[in-house]
Amino acid sequence: MAKDETKKLKEIMILAGEEAKRLGNSKISPEHLFLGILRLKQAWAIDVLIALGIDFYEVRNKIERKLNKQRDKNEEIPETLDYTLAANSILRRVAEEAWKLGDEEVESEHLMLAMLRNQAGFVTKLFNTMGVDYDRFKEQLLKEKTRMQSDFGEEADEEEGEEEEESEESEEGEEHEETMPTRPPQGNAAVQKQPRTTPRSKIR
């Protein structure tokens, strides 16, 4: 079963808090969680949304415009922020989404799925206007993971084939060395020493 919190999810939560403070919001909402996903260097959720043709600049601008209207101008932003009820509800569903996919750790794609299950949420409604809902995101996610596994399998087969070729070439080289005819010794060592005979004195 998937763990409730993993390194990736904790990173997103930290980034979401930073986004909330940057925008002057006193609580972390689902919109901040999505902005946290956008700040990741690598994320399945981003790869899937790219494949679905999402314009991230448009999404970010619309989310930030909404959050700017909720800016707490007269209230000091606390160091530690609480989560809204909607954000807490999403975080509780993340492990369930990972479990459904048979994944041991919670990642960005599981958070995205949990977010899209919240039909009343601003992020969900925004993506729905762009043709992306829970089912379509999940379908594309499975396609992307299948493609990655296929590519990984092909690379592994190629590496295995190269190793087999190198092994065969090495064995052929060893056999060739064993069957090579031995050459006779060359040079002075090849000349057998003949016994020297002292010439007899001529009889006068």
Side-chain angles (χ1 to χ4, degrees), residues 64-176:
E64 290 190 354
R65 278 204 303 269
K66 174 184 181 292
L67 294 174
N68 277 325
K69 293 178 182 178
Q70 300 173 355
R71 181 183 294 271
D72 298 315
K73 298 179 180 179
N74 300 323
E75 185 177 343
E76 185 178 349
I77 305 300
E79 183 64 28
T80 302
L81 302 182
D82 293 328
Y83 292 88
T84 63
L85 292 175
N88 273 321
S89 177
I90 288 170
L91 291 172
R92 284 196 297 267
R93 293 175 179 173
V94 176
E96 180 184 347
E97 294 298 330
W99 178 79
K100 285 180 180 179
L101 293 173
D103 297 329
E104 294 183 357
E105 292 193 353
V106 172
E107 299 286 348
S108 63
E109 63 270 26
H110 307 123
L111 179 58
M112 196 68 216
L113 285 168
M115 203 175 300
L116 290 171
R117 281 178 63 183
N118 180 19
Q119 297 297 322
F122 177 82
V123 174
T124 302
K125 290 179 178 179
L126 179 58
F127 279 116
N128 287 346
T129 63
M130 299 178 175
V132 177
D133 58 11
Y134 177 91
D135 292 331
R136 191 175 179 205
F137 181 90
K138 188 173 185 178
E139 180 183 358
Q140 188 63 40
L141 171 63
L142 295 174
K143 285 181 181 179
E144 291 295 316
K145 288 196 172 185
T146 300
R147 181 183 60 78
M148 186 200 70
Q149 291 171 354
S150 176
D151 292 344
F152 179 77
E154 289 177 1
E155 290 177 2
D157 291 341
E158 289 177 1
E159 290 177 359
E160 185 177 348
E162 291 174 358
E163 290 177 357
E164 288 179 355
E165 288 179 3
E166 291 175 358
S167 177
E168 289 175 0
E169 290 175 359
S170 176
E171 290 177 359
E172 288 177 0
E174 291 176 358
E175 290 177 359
H176 182 68

Side-chain angles (χ1 to χ4, degrees), residues 52-66:
L52 292 172
I54 292 298
D55 184 343
F56 292 110
Y57 292 102
E58 180 182 355
V59 173
R60 180 189 288 276
N61 287 337
K62 289 184 176 180
I63 288 176
E64 290 190 354
R65 278 204 303 269
K66 174 184 181 292

Side-chain angles (χ1 to χ4, degrees), residues 178-190:
E178 291 176 359
T179 55
M180 282 286 289
T182 55
R183 295 180 180 179
Q186 297 179 354
N188 294 335

